[in-house]
Amino acid sequence: MPELPEVEYTARQLRASVVGATIREAHIFWERTISHPAVPDFLAEVAGRRIEGVRRRGKFLLIDLSGNVFLSIHRRMTGNFLLLPAGWKLDTSLREQDRVAWNTRGPTFQVDGEQGTVYQAELKYCRACFVFEDGRCLLFTDPRKFGKIGLWPQEREQEALKGLGPEPLEADFSVERFAASLRGRRTGIKQVLLDQTVVAGVGNIYADEALFYACIHPLRRAESLSETEIRTLHEGIIDVLTRGIEHGGTSFNDYRDLWGEAGDNFNHVRVYHQEGKPCSRCGTTIERIVIAQRSAHFCPGCQQAPAQPGDIVTSVL
């Protein structure tokens, strides 16, 4: 699932590319992609709106439109945006020819000349298309069909984004606030970091990397962390997220940027999906365990289990 760095990187690309553009019309090819309002209302209300700005909140991409409304996009596991230049043509003929194939693959896009071969892999599984007045198309592709797009009045932003904790790259994510959120929690620290009410935008990749940074075992009870460990983990969260953005995000499976390019951060991770390889810090073999049905990668040399048995929770593989 795209996490904060992947969403932020795409937001920055969109901010540089589509702010000022007007949406001439939208096409929805998988109706359950739209979470709010009903699809006919969504299509009618989004047409003619000018893109005023692009933001991010946690793992949500937010596109501010004229008329005091905004699009909220949660990409979930496999959602991506792709910006096509003018000249591409939308082909929906598969919808009438083979409904089953249409529900799986969605439409196709065609353009004359060599340019038509550039995006062929990334054009599959399009679920929504926003056509701009200048002829460009912003596509939302999503093979697994879990992603959600909503259109909301600005005054309902809190409702649309309810339950999100502080932004880890902003001032309200203080050490003191982070420490308070861990107090009394007997849950493993890895699970706590994945709780979006504690810190918005952190997922599996960057939780593993932040815990490695701080030399904390992922099964440590959150309440057992010392003041120094909390401060180091807070620093680690900010560090790994910042570096993830700088490297264009982590492309392990499906994530691509606005131009269909893979992020480079996978070449810079220290433990995530590195099981069986030597730790870059101490040489111990990286291990993988499963915590609450999620993978966790760590170095047993750098991230040792605590001496007090009560400070660690049990993992079931």
Side-chain angles (χ1 to χ4, degrees), residues 64-139:
D64 293 316
L65 304 178
S66 57
N68 294 316
V69 298
F70 71 96
L71 291 168
S72 67
I73 302 101
H74 199 309
R75 297 157 70 169
R76 301 290 174 90
M77 294 183 68
T78 60
N80 281 312
F81 275 101
L82 183 69
L83 185 60
L84 291 180
W88 288 75
K89 297 178 181 179
L90 173 64
D91 184 354
T92 62
S93 58
L94 185 63
R95 179 161 43 195
E96 287 71 38
Q97 297 169 1
D98 188 337
R99 193 70 186 190
V100 174
W102 166 264
N103 287 338
T104 301
R105 299 200 300 265
T108 57
F109 295 84
Q110 301 172 347
V111 69
D112 295 332
E114 296 181 1
Q115 190 180 18
T117 64
V118 175
Y119 294 119
Q120 288 308 307
E122 291 77 20
L123 287 169
K124 296 178 181 178
Y125 313 114
C126 181
R127 309 306 178 193
C129 172
F130 299 89
V131 182
F132 297 148
E133 291 285 4
D134 60 15
R136 292 180 298 165
C137 294
L138 180 62
L139 313 185

Side-chain angles (χ1 to χ4, degrees), residues 26-232:
H27 302 277
I28 305 302
F29 309 117
W30 182 251
E31 292 197 355
R32 277 179 275 180
T33 296
I34 304 304
S35 60
H36 182 274
V39 171
D41 295 331
F42 180 94
L43 294 173
E45 293 178 22
V46 80
R49 305 271 188 182
R50 182 180 184 272
I51 296 178
E52 305 284 357
V54 180
R55 300 176 287 136
R56 179 198 53 76
R57 179 72 172 98
K59 300 177 186 178
F60 283 85
L61 183 66
L62 307 176
I63 300 179
D64 293 316
L65 304 178
S66 57
N68 294 316
V69 298
F70 71 96
L71 291 168
S72 67
I73 302 101
H74 199 309
R75 297 157 70 169
R76 301 290 174 90
M77 294 183 68
T78 60
N80 281 312
F81 275 101
L82 183 69
L83 185 60
L84 291 180
W88 288 75
K89 297 178 181 179
L90 173 64
D91 184 354
T92 62
S93 58
L94 185 63
R95 179 161 43 195
E96 287 71 38
Q97 297 169 1
D98 188 337
R99 193 70 186 190
V100 174
W102 166 264
N103 287 338
T104 301
R105 299 200 300 265
T108 57
F109 295 84
Q110 301 172 347
V111 69
D112 295 332
E114 296 181 1
Q115 190 180 18
T117 64
V118 175
Y119 294 119
Q120 288 308 307
E122 291 77 20
L123 287 169
K124 296 178 181 178
Y125 313 114
C126 181
R127 309 306 178 193
C129 172
F130 299 89
V131 182
F132 297 148
E133 291 285 4
D134 60 15
R136 292 180 298 165
C137 294
L138 180 62
L139 313 185
F140 180 70
T141 64
D142 186 12
R144 298 288 296 274
K145 298 191 283 195
F146 292 148
K148 297 296 181 184
I149 300 175
L151 179 66
W152 302 85
Q154 291 288 356
E155 62 267 22
R156 295 181 64 185
E157 181 170 331
Q158 187 173 0
E159 174 189 346
L161 305 176
K162 63 183 176 182
L164 292 181
E167 284 291 326
L169 301 183
E170 295 184 3
D172 62 344
F173 181 60
S174 64
V175 174
E176 294 74 21
R177 183 172 181 177
F178 183 47
S181 69
L182 304 185
R183 197 171 297 129
R185 285 182 178 257
R186 297 177 60 80
T187 311
I189 185 60
K190 170 67 183 284
Q191 289 174 262
V192 173
L193 291 181
L194 298 182
D195 183 344
Q196 297 301 292
T197 67
V198 173
V199 53
V202 174
N204 221 31
I205 299 171
Y206 299 98
D208 281 354
E209 293 296 301
L211 289 169
F212 175 79
Y213 180 104
C215 296
I216 296 171
H217 194 286
L219 287 173
R220 281 281 302 278
R221 293 189 190 275
E223 65 176 6
S224 75
L225 268 59
S226 69
E227 181 179 334
T228 299
E229 288 175 320
I230 292 172
R231 188 171 297 276
T232 305

Side-chain angles (χ1 to χ4, degrees), residues 228-247:
T228 299
E229 288 175 320
I230 292 172
R231 188 171 297 276
T232 305
L233 180 56
H234 177 272
E235 179 183 280
I237 291 169
I238 295 172
D239 179 83
V240 300
L241 292 174
T242 300
R243 287 190 288 110
I245 296 168
E246 291 173 353
H247 296 140

Side-chain angles (χ1 to χ4, degrees), residues 236-281:
I237 291 169
I238 295 172
D239 179 83
V240 300
L241 292 174
T242 300
R243 287 190 288 110
I245 296 168
E246 291 173 353
H247 296 140
T250 304
S251 291
F252 178 64
N253 286 320
D254 298 288
Y255 163 70
R256 295 294 184 271
D257 70 7
L258 196 59
W259 315 115
E261 299 292 333
D264 185 54
N265 196 56
F266 189 67
N267 295 318
H268 300 274
V269 295
R270 311 288 291 279
V271 290
Y272 179 73
H273 271 280
Q274 302 301 303
E275 64 269 25
K277 298 181 181 179
C279 171
S280 59
R281 190 157 54 195

Side-chain angles (χ1 to χ4, degrees), residues 2-16:
E3 301 177 29
L4 186 154
E6 291 76 49
V7 179
E8 177 64 28
Y9 192 74
T10 301
R12 294 180 183 186
Q13 289 184 319
L14 284 168
R15 199 174 299 130

